[in-house]
Amino acid sequence: MASLADATPPIALGALDGRYRGVVAPLVDHLSEPALNRERVRVEVEWLIFLTTHQVVPGVRALAEGEQQQLRQVVEDFGADEIAELAQIEGETQHDVKAVEYFLKRRLTAIAPGDEDRGLAELIHFCCTSEDINNLSYALMVKGSVTDVWLPRAAALVESVATMASDLRDVPLLAHTHGQPATPTTMGKELAVLAHRLSRQLRRIGAAEFLGKLNGATGTYGAHLAAVPGADWPALSREFVESLGLQWNPLTTQIESHDWQAELYADIARFNRILHNLCTDVWTYISLGYFAQVRGQGTVGSSTMPHKVNPIRFENAEANLEVSNALFDVLSSTLVNSRLQRDLTDSSMQRNIGVAFGHSLLAIDNAARGLDGLDAVPAAMAADLDSNWEVLGEPVQSAMRALGAQGVAGMENPYERLKELTRGRRITGDDLREFVAGLGLPDDVAKRLAEMTPQSYIGAAPELVDYLD
């Protein structure tokens, strides 16, 4: 039997790079291994430019504007040839960051070939430990993936939910608490609850900090001060890190502590969990007939039952959210721990960041497509409401309580009397109106309760939708 591992082009092992590649492809520019190397090149280039521009090392000339542009163009042009070249160098060095250093030294030699400029190459990776480059690269990668890819997709999904909430704000819905019929609401209000919850998490994610450090092998600027004792290295480090659009972390070991990553991933995982709740709720509404899956009916629901249109988008989203959260949770718990001044567990862990984001992005895509294919079925919701008049026991006993508190006679034991009428059995509108008529209520209260139906007993549900941001 031929080995599939020998096929050309190579076959992806995971689903994200296989059948779901089209959905997650935008993350490749941010969270793939080549993207990591491109960001390493960017950080090394910017550090070299920073050192020479600020004349940090006495006697070293500043790079000309054209030379700076050529170095930055190396980052912009980073593609297949550069990926292959770096792989070849790393095959010799057996060290990924050192390979980037040698790669850039080749480029700098071509940009500034004069004998008098040979020393410039020594400022590539100057006083840096690999983690100085890596932590900044990962911060840039994660920031880009959040702001450019994940957050816009998530925000668009939440906007869709909010729009559905507004459209369905007046559609009465029989609520279910503990799986049992409960006080009516509206479909719009219930969707607004989910949109509100998701929006809160998006605000937290949108306000995330992306931290970075550049302070040497154990965070002491030891090599920096040994090489150039007269420089204010903490101030230079802060200026450089902030020039990359990151927040400066002044106190670290060899590694940046990754706490910001744990915070961010916890927030995204919480968003995922709320989205999972949305998917299970909508799935249940579909099963109750409250939503019809009316678009995309060219798809096959079952290989043997032609009538079926399965809610596969929501089921797919659930599965991918669970995979994503498993990864985000382990990233959050693992990255905040490092033995003494450094161990290597974070290096292996961080290579899974893209997979965690990928499954979340895939879930968002499926949920959005699922919602886009739905139409509400108000008639089905109304039918369930009309079959559950007993839910009006609550407003009747509440009105009786208010009257009893005001001293109106005959309002004793309202809860118990309504329980006897409604618990464990179905009642009709006529049953309830007969009961209300026999209570001796003031005329205005009796009229209000007699006119009430399960469809009209929705409280302030429609107006509550307005609280959506």
Side-chain angles (χ1 to χ4, degrees):
M1 180 182 296
S3 173
L4 297 177
D6 297 330
T8 302
I11 296 173
L13 177 62
L16 292 181
D17 286 316
R19 67 186 296 147
Y20 301 129
R21 171 76 177 195
V23 176
V24 302
L27 289 173
V28 175
D29 271 333
H30 299 280
L31 294 172
S32 62
E33 189 76 13
L36 171 58
N37 277 329
R38 181 169 62 186
E39 292 309 310
R40 285 167 169 161
V41 173
R42 185 190 310 278
V43 172
E44 294 277 17
V45 164
E46 294 302 327
W47 182 232
L48 173 62
I49 292 173
F50 182 89
L51 289 170
T52 58
T53 301
H54 287 70
Q55 299 284 276
V56 175
V57 179
V60 178
R61 74 172 179 87
L63 292 171
E65 184 67 30
E67 293 170 327
Q68 294 181 28
Q69 290 177 359
Q70 289 181 71
L71 282 169
R72 287 178 170 138
Q73 197 62 42
V74 173
V75 181
E76 297 303 315
D77 293 341
F78 191 88
D81 291 341
E82 289 73 23
I83 293 169
E85 182 179 349
L86 265 176
Q88 179 266 322
I89 299 172
E90 188 180 342
E92 299 170 4
T93 63
Q94 294 299 301
H95 194 288
D96 46 8
V97 177
K98 203 66 178 175
V100 170
E101 178 185 345
Y102 291 163
F103 171 86
L104 271 179
K105 284 183 175 179
R106 292 179 180 178
R107 298 303 186 278
L108 183 60
T109 298
I111 293 169
D115 290 343
E116 68 278 11
D117 289 329
R118 286 181 180 177
L120 285 173
E122 296 309 318
L123 292 187
I124 296 175
H125 202 68
F126 181 71
C127 290
C128 291
T129 184
S130 296
E131 183 58 19
D132 285 326
I133 307 304
N134 282 335
N135 89 93
L136 296 172
S137 298
Y138 272 111
L140 292 170
M141 292 162 64
V142 174
K143 182 180 181 181
S145 64
V146 170
T147 59
D148 296 346
V149 181
W150 188 91
L151 202 51
R153 296 273 191 94
L157 170 64
V158 176
E159 183 61 31
S160 294
V161 179
T163 299
M164 288 182 67
S166 180
D167 291 344
L168 301 174
R169 63 191 298 151
D170 296 314
V171 178
L173 169 72
L174 180 67
H176 289 81
T177 59
H178 309 280
Q180 307 301 308
T183 300
T185 178
T186 71
M187 179 61 79
K189 181 262 179 182
E190 298 312 304
L191 291 172
V193 170
L194 292 160
H196 177 64
R197 295 174 66 195
L198 292 167
S199 294
R200 287 191 68 248
Q201 302 313 311
L202 289 187
R203 287 196 295 273
R204 291 175 62 94
I205 295 164
E209 293 182 319
F210 302 88
L211 274 62
K213 71 97 181 180
L214 195 149
N215 52 17
T218 59
T220 65
Y221 302 99
H224 306 69
L225 289 166
V228 187
D232 185 349
W233 283 107
L236 290 167
S237 172
R238 179 173 192 162
E239 183 179 351
F240 176 67
V241 170
E242 291 180 350
S243 75
L244 297 174
L246 306 173
Q247 285 78 41
W248 181 59
N249 189 340
L251 286 166
T252 76
T253 60
Q254 182 178 109
I255 67 167
E256 197 287 319
S257 306
H258 306 318
D259 297 342
W260 69 266
Q261 289 194 57
E263 293 157 4
L264 172 65
Y265 302 154
D267 287 342
I268 295 176
R270 194 177 307 108
F271 176 93
N272 284 349
R273 289 186 169 95
I274 296 169
L275 180 56
H276 190 286
N277 195 174
L278 181 149
C279 290
T280 55
D281 278 2
V282 172
W283 185 98
T284 304
Y285 291 141
I286 292 170
S287 72
L288 291 170
Y290 297 168
F291 282 118
Q293 300 175 94
V294 296
R295 283 172 287 280
Q297 293 191 33
T299 59
V300 174
S302 167
S303 62
T304 187
M305 293 174 280
H307 69 284
K308 295 188 71 181
V309 181
N310 296 332
I312 58 171
R313 295 300 174 198
F314 301 102
E315 294 168 346
N316 187 303
E318 288 177 43
N320 280 285
L321 290 166
E322 288 162 11
V323 174
S324 176
N325 275 5
L327 289 168
F328 277 132
D329 287 347
V330 74
L331 284 163
S332 296
S333 63
T334 301
L335 288 177
V336 295
N337 290 288
S338 186
R339 293 174 183 86
L340 303 180
Q341 284 68 55
R342 160 106 230 227
D343 67 37
L344 204 62
T345 52
D346 63 331
S347 178
S348 297
M349 267 293 160
Q350 290 183 108
R351 283 185 161 86
N352 293 284
I353 295 171
V355 184
F357 273 99
H359 283 285
S360 179
L361 193 68
L362 181 57
I364 289 169
D365 178 77
N366 272 283
R369 293 166 68 185
L371 291 172
D372 191 51
L374 297 181
D375 271 353
V377 186
M381 296 181 233
D384 272 1
L385 285 162
D386 199 47
S387 299
N388 287 276
W389 279 80
E390 56 271 18
V391 297
L392 295 187
E394 179 189 46
V396 173
Q397 66 101 5
S398 295
M400 292 174 68
R401 282 174 180 264
L403 293 169
Q406 296 167 20
V408 176
M411 298 297 110
E412 296 81 7
N413 304 315
Y415 178 87
E416 289 74 17
R417 291 160 73 181
L418 267 298
K419 181 177 73 172
E420 182 179 350
L421 173 70
T422 61
R423 182 170 293 185
R425 68 188 186 94
R426 298 286 191 189
I427 64 170
T428 66
D430 290 340
D431 294 331
L432 188 68
R433 285 186 286 271
E434 180 181 349
F435 177 83
V436 169
L439 291 175
L441 300 172
D443 290 345
D444 61 328
V445 178
K447 181 175 185 297
R448 184 172 73 246
L449 294 178
E451 291 175 350
M452 186 176 289
T453 68
Q455 287 91 340
S456 68
Y457 180 46
I458 56 174
E463 292 77 21
L464 292 174
V465 176
D466 291 332
Y467 284 97
L468 276 177
D469 296 337

